[in-house]
Amino acid sequence: MPESGHTWRKAFKGEPIEAEHVRLWTARRVSHSDAPLIANELYVALLGSGAPVIEMTLSTAGTRIRITAHGEGPLSVLYSHGPGWQIVNGLCHLAGLTTDECGLWAQLGANR
């Protein structure tokens, strides 16, 4: 049986004040208590890279939640594995760099 789910996307300005909006936007769409913090850390990592616009995507399928923050250019290792990365890895089941290396993603609700 296929799993059903939803996907939401929103572009946020690459400004620190938007981090609160990212957390609220995430909390209104998914009920996992760690999702807003993970979304925040992904957003802040791309914010640190200087991205003028950061597209956030939330996708659900069954019990899984995938959070993606995507910028305009390739991320350096500093932004894809900085201090916030330890928080993300500690709270989610899987995480990584997008295939185009312009974003970061994290997944909740699946076994490692």
Side-chain angles (χ1 to χ4, degrees):
M1 178 188 310
E3 294 178 304
S4 62
H6 299 283
T7 297
W8 299 272
R9 284 188 182 88
K10 184 169 180 169
F12 292 89
K13 293 178 184 176
E15 299 175 1
I17 190 98
E18 292 289 311
E20 180 179 356
H21 299 134
V22 168
R23 290 189 303 274
L24 292 171
W25 178 78
T26 303
R28 289 183 185 130
R29 281 154 185 81
V30 295
S31 61
H32 196 291
S33 61
D34 293 332
L37 176 58
I38 292 169
N40 179 77
E41 291 302 325
L42 297 177
Y43 175 82
V44 168
L46 267 79
L47 181 66
S49 74
V53 175
I54 300 167
E55 183 177 88
M56 298 298 297
T57 305
L58 297 173
S59 298
T60 62
T63 61
R64 292 184 306 267
I65 300 167
R66 184 172 172 126
I67 304 167
T68 305
H70 199 271
E72 295 181 357
L75 297 172
S76 74
V77 172
L78 176 64
Y79 300 109
S80 63
H81 291 85
W85 196 246
Q86 290 180 5
I87 294 170
V88 170
N89 278 319
L91 295 175
C92 68
H93 293 95
L94 298 167
L97 192 62
T98 59
T99 56
D100 63 2
E101 298 181 354
C102 295
L104 300 169
W105 61 271
Q107 183 172 302
L108 296 158
N111 294 330
R112 290 184 189 256

